[in-house]
Amino acid sequence: MALDTAKIIEQLKGASILELNDLVHAIEEEFGVTAAAPVAAAGAAGGAEEAKSSFDVELTSAGTEKVKVIKIVKEVTGASLLDAKKTVDGAPVVLKEGLSEDEANELKAKLEEVGATVTLK
């Protein structure tokens, strides 16, 4: 069975973010893989070189609970509701820079608890 790559790419261009998110989850379940594993492995390899003292928290994806993520972004950035929504819609985006490891992990956990995907840099 040959794949029509151009046709698949064209279909993906027309898909909404929610549809793409559902597709990723379906692929992960079907094939027993995770899209986040390479990112985590790359982050771990980079952290072994030297201990970092400050971290940037990047919102990679809002996930399915976008409203809850917007509320958290509004809370932690002090932005208006509209600005928080624009920030979340613009993911991937750095939410906070120069945080301590504990602060960064706390914010990451808070966002991941409502389904967001977060990367520490």
Side-chain angles (χ1 to χ4, degrees):
M1 175 172 95
L3 293 177
D4 186 350
T5 306
K7 186 175 179 180
I8 293 170
I9 291 173
E10 198 58 39
Q11 287 177 322
L12 291 174
K13 285 182 183 178
S16 71
I17 296 296
L18 186 58
E19 291 171 324
L20 293 173
N21 186 45
D22 290 343
L23 174 64
V24 169
H25 289 298
I27 290 170
E28 288 175 339
E29 287 180 24
E30 179 68 26
F31 297 105
V33 297
T34 178
V39 174
E49 292 174 15
E50 65 179 62
K52 291 182 70 169
S53 60
S54 67
F55 295 85
D56 298 340
V57 178
E58 179 184 70
L59 175 66
T60 308
S61 167
T64 58
E65 297 288 337
K66 186 175 172 183
V67 173
K68 291 179 182 178
V69 174
I70 291 170
K71 288 179 181 179
I72 292 172
V73 169
K74 179 183 180 298
E75 174 189 320
V76 299
T77 62
S80 69
L81 189 59
L82 181 61
D83 287 339
K85 182 185 181 306
K86 287 179 183 178
T87 299
V88 171
D89 287 341
V93 62
V94 174
L95 295 177
K96 289 281 214 172
E97 296 178 329
L99 297 178
S100 71
E101 185 176 6
D102 290 340
E103 291 171 321
N105 283 324
E106 183 178 320
L107 178 54
K108 180 181 179 186
K110 193 177 219 182
L111 288 163
E112 287 179 339
E113 186 175 299
V114 293
T117 305
V118 180
T119 305
L120 298 182
K121 294 187 173 192

